Amino acid sequence: MNIVILTGAGVSAESGLGTFRDVDGLWTKYRIEDVATPEAFARDPDFVQDFYNLRRRNCAEATPNAAHFALARLEAELEGEVLIVTQNVDDLHERAGSKRLIHMHGELLKSLCASCEDRLPLKGEMPTSPCQKCGGGPLRPDVVWFGEMPYRMEEIWNALRMADLFVSIGTSGNVYPAAAFAQDAGRAGADTLELNLEPSDGASDFADARYGKATDIVPVWVEEVLSAS
Ligand code: NAD
């Protein structure tokens, strides 16, 4: 069996990293257009860097939860292929042990040189020095902002075409192109399953759904898939 799994902010919610819709979450204190667009970075780079430095600190304090660990177990134990495509910029899937993973919206823990596109691992604050490789810059977070193209889309669409099962976990389904993955995979013949706290905006695109907290429903689903395989 060949499974492609899309994850969103809901899978990391119980690790303490707020979703975009949490009533008192980080995102309610910032507007997208002030921190998550290339124009915002051009206008006020310090403000944008402060926001991502804060998110990086939050990420360092968070730990993977039972849903992350269950997905890593699925990959390790399933006779078949598991690919996780995540919209999350945190590193909780990696820390739980997932290996086949695409960060389609980039990674908090990398810097990207805006001039030469060199990427470097980054643990703490974004350095204010020029790029080590080209001497230019500026260095920016390696995250995909609104108006920019998500990463590795050809690879993702190919994987969706080959999938027997597409599962969407903890995502509201209102940001494209990820919001169209259920339809893309379904058209290519895959079964489709939504695992989310509540029906997402794209719920009608899925053949099947289970609703509840990720730490409850993901481990149960993984156990069922492994027992049936
Ligand atoms: P989201 O916040 O839009 O949706 C999170 C989903 O997770 C919701 O459907 C919610 O019901 C569900 N959820 C919450 N807690 C859960 C739990 N414990 N278990 C299971 N599900 C739970 O986040 P998203 O869908 O990942 O957003 C997609 C992309 O859109 C993001 O990667 C981001 O780039 C972008 N986005 C940005 C903003 C912003 O910048 N303000 C806002 C929305 C989306």
Side-chain angles (χ1 to χ4, degrees):
M1 175 142 66
N2 187 344
I3 306 179
V4 177
I5 299 169
L6 173 71
T7 64
V11 83
S12 294
E14 292 163 81
S15 292
L17 298 179
T19 69
F20 301 105
R21 287 158 167 228
D22 282 345
V23 279
D24 55 354
L26 196 55
W27 288 98
T28 59
K29 303 183 181 86
Y30 294 87
R31 298 186 320 151
I32 293 175
E33 49 273 40
D34 290 337
V35 292
T37 65
E39 294 76 18
F41 187 61
R43 203 166 47 235
D44 193 346
D46 292 344
F47 186 74
V48 174
Q49 298 288 22
D50 285 349
F51 172 74
Y52 286 97
N53 286 335
L54 173 62
R55 290 193 71 190
R56 218 170 282 117
R57 280 200 296 277
N58 292 347
C59 177
E61 286 161 9
T63 50
N65 64 45
H68 297 105
F69 285 115
L71 295 178
R73 177 181 169 222
L74 181 69
E75 181 185 346
E77 297 183 16
L78 185 80
E79 283 187 30
E81 302 261 294
V82 175
L83 171 69
I84 297 177
V85 177
T86 188
Q87 299 165 93
N88 298 341
V89 294
D90 65 58
D91 64 343
L92 297 180
H93 283 304
E94 295 88 317
R95 280 199 263 152
S98 289
K99 304 274 185 267
R100 286 192 74 222
L101 177 66
I102 294 180
H103 275 281
M104 64 176 291
H105 289 167
E107 297 174 61
L108 262 184
L109 302 187
K110 281 188 184 161
S111 65
L112 171 69
C113 172
S115 301
C116 73
E117 300 192 353
D118 187 43
R119 289 182 169 82
L120 283 177
L122 176 65
K123 280 243 158 62
E125 307 252 307
M126 181 70 70
T128 49
S129 47
C131 170
Q132 287 177 17
K133 193 170 173 202
C134 73
L139 298 181
R140 54 165 277 185
D142 187 17
V143 299
V144 175
W145 285 325
F146 284 86
E148 296 181 326
M149 188 58 166
Y151 296 155
R152 298 170 68 179
M153 286 309 304
E154 281 303 320
E155 219 178 310
I156 295 169
W157 279 317
N158 280 337
L160 291 170
R161 275 193 285 272
M162 304 295 292
D164 300 307
L165 173 63
F166 170 74
V167 188
S168 171
I169 305 178
T171 176
S172 57
N174 57 16
V175 175
Y176 285 83
F181 288 174
Q183 285 187 353
D184 296 338
R187 261 197 304 269
D191 280 337
T192 52
L193 169 67
E194 167 161 275
L195 301 177
N196 204 42
L197 196 57
E198 61 200 5
S200 71
D201 291 350
S204 60
D205 296 334
F206 293 86
D208 201 359
R210 297 182 187 188
Y211 298 114
K213 288 183 174 179
T215 56
D216 293 332
I217 60 178
V218 177
V220 170
W221 170 72
V222 165
E223 184 63 49
E224 284 175 19
V225 173
L226 289 175
S227 318
S229 69

